[in-house]
Amino acid sequence: MSLADRIAQSVIKKYNELPKRGKPTVKGKGAQTKEEWTVLAGFVLENTQTSQLECVSLGTGLKCQHREQLSPYGDSLHDSHAEVIARRALLVYLIDHFQDIFTKQDARYVFPRHLQLHLYTSRCPCGDASIEPLDDKLSDSTSEQPKAKRQRISQDPLSIVRGHQDFDSLGSLRLKPGRADSIPTLSMSCSDKIAKWNALGVQGSLLAMLMAPLYISSIVVGDLYNHKSIDRAINQRGVSALAGKDLPRHYQANICSISHTTVEFKKSQVYLKAKGVDVITADASICWYHGLPPQKSVALVNGSKQGAKLALSGCQPHKLWPSICKISLLNRFLSVYEKLEPQGYLEFQQHIYKSIKQQSTEYQQAKRQLLESSLFKDWVQCPAMYESFDRNGSIN
């Protein structure tokens, strides 16, 4: 079995071990019956000395919150696409096991050389990577695009393209969701986000204060696979954007290998349609990370814990915070940072989320260099009003 198939199998096997909560279900009855489908993504660690693989995080999902649904307290998710949830779950794993995984070298913690990080996704990432496969798939259908439910948000750059529009605009940044008849969000496509991870690392700005950037070694894709499109979207845009840039130490335009897998995910749109059933997108998402017992995997709906009785105003109670939301990740990070950098921790205690991220100077420098490039200059960044909370959920 190829490495790509083994990586896919590792994530799917872990998914199958999780309880039904949050997984796709059958909707309706009789002739109106439809099966929900979803996308599965996961991160896998490979021990190159033993060839052993271990899935350390996974996520499912297809939904996003539009601006009017967003919480300013960091207590819910803006983007519930599978790849984004899997990456946030990876952050939990890295933070919770930081001292077990990383070793300190020259004032920076580094990832073990014998470990490689792989990303599996059951469907080609939305956005630029999937434009050509989707164009081929839709070529026999009407070319008329549905009308948008509401006009483009005025703050959004005019050059940002919706996911399923302008199929000839290759290399463009794209906003979720793809459908033109849906309400726009502030979330960039998964292709764009993975390209950003390829330039800045998957660890994000908080962990970058402690560690060197961590890059993906390979991406394994199931349905709608097109090597040329994925390479352009994930690898080549970053290479072009950072060419000639004097990047901070350890930062680079990473090029990850790209592979196809034929291992079937049985809740995918392609698999279910091949069975001849009517399908509908799943409402819920799942989040799991290594160290979390399978029976305690988290189901999410509209960016919050499924079934939670949410407060009508203010920050949600701590027990209702998803483990992968911004305020949860901030508190997890600060707990580790306090042990490793107690002096720096004292300075951060009263800071808001956004200002703490800004202290990650090398990461922010590399990010500026990426976003100043012509290919990434129209990136829609999260407005400050959604990152002005402190670790307790107070707005400052």
Side-chain angles (χ1 to χ4, degrees):
M1 181 180 288
S2 69
L3 176 60
D5 286 349
R6 290 176 59 220
I7 289 168
Q9 193 174 65
S10 174
V11 178
I12 293 171
K13 180 176 182 292
K14 178 56 66 176
Y15 171 85
N16 290 335
E17 293 173 2
L18 303 182
K20 293 181 179 180
R21 184 178 61 254
K23 290 184 175 180
T25 61
V26 177
K27 295 288 186 73
K29 295 181 179 180
Q32 303 300 316
T33 298
K34 292 186 177 182
E35 287 196 39
E36 289 187 327
W37 70 276
T38 194
V39 174
L40 169 66
F43 282 92
V44 174
L45 284 182
E46 176 193 9
N47 186 322
T48 58
Q49 296 174 344
T50 63
S51 298
Q52 182 178 355
L53 300 178
E54 183 174 21
C55 177
V56 293
S57 73
L58 66 77
T60 67
L62 295 154
K63 304 291 186 179
C64 280
Q65 303 294 95
H66 59 77
R67 176 177 291 197
E68 294 164 12
Q69 296 173 308
L70 302 183
S71 167
Y73 301 98
D75 54 359
S76 63
L77 302 185
H78 296 185
D79 187 341
S80 294
H81 278 225
E83 297 93 329
V84 175
I85 289 180
R87 184 259 183 172
R88 284 180 167 269
L90 173 68
L91 296 183
V92 175
Y93 166 73
L94 293 176
I95 293 171
D96 287 357
H97 297 83
F98 194 88
Q99 291 175 281
D100 299 325
I101 300 172
F102 295 89
T103 54
K104 196 168 188 179
Q105 293 181 9
D106 300 327
R108 269 282 186 267
Y109 290 87
V110 296
F111 198 64
R113 291 180 178 272
H114 68 281
L115 295 181
Q116 291 191 340
L117 183 67
H118 305 280
L119 170 61
Y120 159 75
T121 178
S122 64
R123 183 182 175 96
C124 189
C126 67
D128 191 51
S130 60
I131 282 304
E132 288 175 287
L134 278 174
D135 194 17
D136 293 340
K137 182 180 177 184
L138 298 174
S139 60
D140 294 330
S141 63
T142 177
S143 61
E144 183 178 348
Q145 290 288 332
K147 294 181 179 179
K149 284 184 177 177
R150 59 182 66 185
Q151 297 299 313
R152 185 186 303 273
I153 300 171
S154 60
Q155 292 91 331
D156 294 341
L158 294 177
S159 55
I160 292 291
V161 183
R162 295 297 295 279
H164 293 178
Q165 292 180 318
D166 297 342
F167 285 94
D168 59 344
S169 183
L170 302 180
S172 295
L173 298 176
R174 293 175 182 268
L175 281 173
K176 297 171 181 170
R179 287 177 55 89
D181 59 344
S182 56
I183 301 173
T185 72
L186 296 175
S187 297
M188 303 305 297
S189 73
C190 287
S191 291
D192 298 334
K193 290 188 175 183
I194 298 170
K196 182 182 174 185
W197 303 341
N198 244 2
L200 306 179
V202 296
Q203 77 294 324
S205 57
L206 293 178
L207 277 174
M209 283 187 271
L210 293 173
M211 61 181 282
L214 173 60
Y215 292 106
I216 299 169
S217 295
S218 77
I219 178 170
V220 177
V221 178
D223 301 335
L224 299 183
Y225 180 82
N226 181 305
H227 188 278
K228 179 181 177 182
S229 295
I230 299 169
D231 182 56
R232 179 192 64 245
I234 304 305
N235 289 328
Q236 300 309 321
R237 288 193 297 173
V239 170
S240 298
L242 296 178
K245 303 280 189 181
D246 184 18
L247 295 170
R249 186 183 179 191
H250 302 302
Y251 285 87
Q252 65 184 45
N254 182 57
I255 298 179
C256 59
S257 64
I258 300 163
S259 302
H260 182 226
T261 180
T262 56
V263 177
E264 292 178 318
F265 173 52
K266 295 184 178 179
K267 292 299 180 180
S268 73
Q269 183 187 41
V270 170
Y271 181 86
L272 292 173
K273 279 192 170 183
K275 289 174 57 181
V277 301
D278 290 331
V279 297
I280 187 173
T281 54
D283 291 325
S285 300
I286 289 177
C287 166
W288 175 86
Y289 46 86
H290 180 79
L292 184 70
Q295 65 272 21
K296 291 190 177 292
S297 61
V298 181
L300 303 164
V301 175
N302 295 328
S304 299
K305 288 184 177 180
Q306 187 177 42
K309 294 182 179 179
L310 301 177
L312 297 178
S313 62
C315 186
Q316 299 299 324
H318 181 276
K319 65 180 181 180
L320 297 184
W321 296 350
S323 54
I324 58 173
C325 69
K326 289 179 178 179
I327 194 169
S328 289
L329 289 172
L330 174 62
N331 277 279
R332 267 187 152 90
F333 167 75
L334 288 176
S335 295
V336 171
Y337 198 77
E338 181 181 15
K339 297 175 184 176
L340 300 178
E341 301 289 340
Q343 190 59 42
Y345 170 77
L346 291 175
E347 297 176 10
F348 287 162
Q349 276 188 305
Q350 303 303 319
H351 283 212
I352 60 172
Y353 177 74
K354 185 175 182 65
S355 67
I356 294 175
K357 291 202 304 177
Q358 293 302 317
Q359 302 305 309
S360 187
T361 53
E362 292 183 349
Y363 178 93
Q364 294 299 337
Q365 179 186 340
K367 180 180 176 181
R368 281 193 300 273
Q369 290 174 296
L370 178 70
L371 300 189
E372 287 170 356
S373 69
S374 59
L375 288 170
F376 289 88
K377 65 181 176 61
D378 293 322
W379 188 283
V380 178
Q381 299 194 62
C382 185
M385 66 177 291
Y386 300 115
E387 296 192 333
S388 296
F389 55 88
D390 63 19
R391 67 180 306 178
N392 299 311
S394 298
I395 301 293
N396 294 307

